[in-house]
Amino acid sequence: DTGVSQNPRHKITKRGQNVTFRCDPISEHNRLYWYRQTLGQGPEFLTYFQNEAQLEKSRLLSDRFSAERPKGSFSTLEIQRTEQGDSAMYLCASSTQGQGTEAFFGQGTRLTVV
Amino acid sequence: GENVEQHPSTLSVQEGDSAVIKCTYSDSASNYFPWYKQELGKGPQLIIDIRSNVGEKKDQRIAVTLNKTAKHFSLHITETQPEDSAVYFCAASLAGNQFYFGTGTSLTVIP
């Protein structure tokens, strides 16, 4: 399968713990996006990378959230000191650079903070 | 920033009938409009898209129309089948820098 891969698929953590998610994009895609989706809502933009550069961050991305893409390939999203409000589906997508290029999503990581 | 509104939030149709979902956007600079289908517990799947230099695009039973002047675009599904049942999201983007999504339409096709 050469699509976008996210791990883990599910994560249950206690409030206050740190969690890290991984995203492996489609190999030739240089853009990588992180989105958050809560039940009944559309995906909300968090941040995106072009190669290893983080080009834009949403105000939703508080200082407890950090994302990296060190070699321009896979990316990690870390949430520190998790809160119950962080419970959501975290989606990763990738695309090639340019106007109107298709973005393909992974299956997401479902985070539950208890 | 961009604001995308989507209607209706739920839609039920009989198998074989057509379904139409409508979206409006606020930023006239947006130039790319994809549609995604999302099944329970899965990530969104791109089903069709349209760019601002095109007014209509069709792929088998699915079509999308774009009216740049009115800043709205629509998804049309003809000859609906039970497997079309899912949540559909529209999105708007400027050069793929980020995608702004609508709130989704839950489509149910009744056999």
Side-chain angles (χ1 to χ4, degrees):
Chain A
D1 187 346
T2 57
V4 177
S5 177
Q6 290 189 247
N7 288 288
R9 291 292 311 279
H10 304 274
K11 178 70 177 179
I12 300 174
T13 191
K14 291 183 178 180
R15 189 172 48 188
Q17 297 295 305
N18 299 344
V19 294
T20 300
F21 310 140
R22 177 178 170 126
C23 172
D24 287 273
I26 294 171
S27 59
E28 64 268 25
H29 286 183
N30 60 354
R31 283 193 172 182
L32 186 148
Y33 310 80
W34 284 100
Y35 281 80
R36 181 172 69 186
Q37 185 178 28
T38 53
L39 200 62
Q41 299 296 317
E44 295 176 296
F45 172 77
L46 293 178
T47 188
Y48 92 94
F49 293 83
Q50 184 162 299
N51 300 312
E52 66 274 12
Q54 189 172 18
L55 295 189
E56 191 169 349
K57 292 192 293 185
S58 165
R59 60 180 173 78
L60 293 175
L61 210 68
S62 76
D63 56 4
R64 296 185 299 105
F65 288 69
S66 62
E68 294 182 342
R69 195 183 184 197
K71 298 182 180 179
S73 57
F74 74 91
S75 175
T76 57
L77 177 67
E78 181 183 18
I79 309 174
Q80 296 181 325
R81 305 180 304 279
T82 52
E83 302 172 356
Q84 286 189 322
D86 297 331
S87 295
M89 174 80 88
Y90 289 85
L91 294 164
C92 175
S94 70
S95 75
T96 55
Q97 180 183 352
Q99 295 190 7
T101 54
E102 300 91 339
F104 297 94
F105 281 83
Q107 298 285 49
T109 294
R110 168 73 66 188
L111 173 66
T112 303
V113 181
V114 297
Chain B
E2 175 66 275
N3 181 46
V4 177
E5 295 189 354
Q6 182 172 347
H7 299 280
S9 57
T10 60
L11 179 60
S12 292
V13 298
Q14 292 289 332
E15 182 177 358
D17 287 351
S18 296
V20 179
I21 303 170
K22 298 182 179 182
C23 289
T24 61
Y25 62 100
S26 61
D27 189 347
S28 57
S30 291
N31 59 6
Y32 176 62
F33 307 91
W35 285 88
Y36 288 86
K37 175 184 181 182
Q38 187 173 29
E39 297 175 337
L40 196 63
K42 297 186 177 181
Q45 175 191 3
L46 179 69
I47 57 171
I48 195 167
D49 57 13
I50 192 166
R51 292 164 175 76
S52 59
N53 59 346
V54 175
E56 184 174 358
K57 182 177 178 181
K58 188 173 181 180
D59 182 4
Q60 299 182 355
R61 297 186 296 109
I62 296 174
V64 57
T65 59
L66 171 65
N67 183 326
K68 286 190 299 182
T69 303
K71 289 188 284 189
H72 66 70
F73 56 115
S74 300
L75 177 71
H76 304 252
I77 305 174
T78 58
E79 302 173 17
T80 52
Q81 301 168 3
E83 52 265 38
D84 294 329
S85 296
V87 179
Y88 291 80
F89 291 98
C90 61
S93 173
L94 172 59
N97 291 331
Q98 63 166 288
F99 294 82
Y100 296 88
F101 284 82
T103 50
T105 296
S106 177
L107 172 65
T108 302
V109 179
I110 304 166

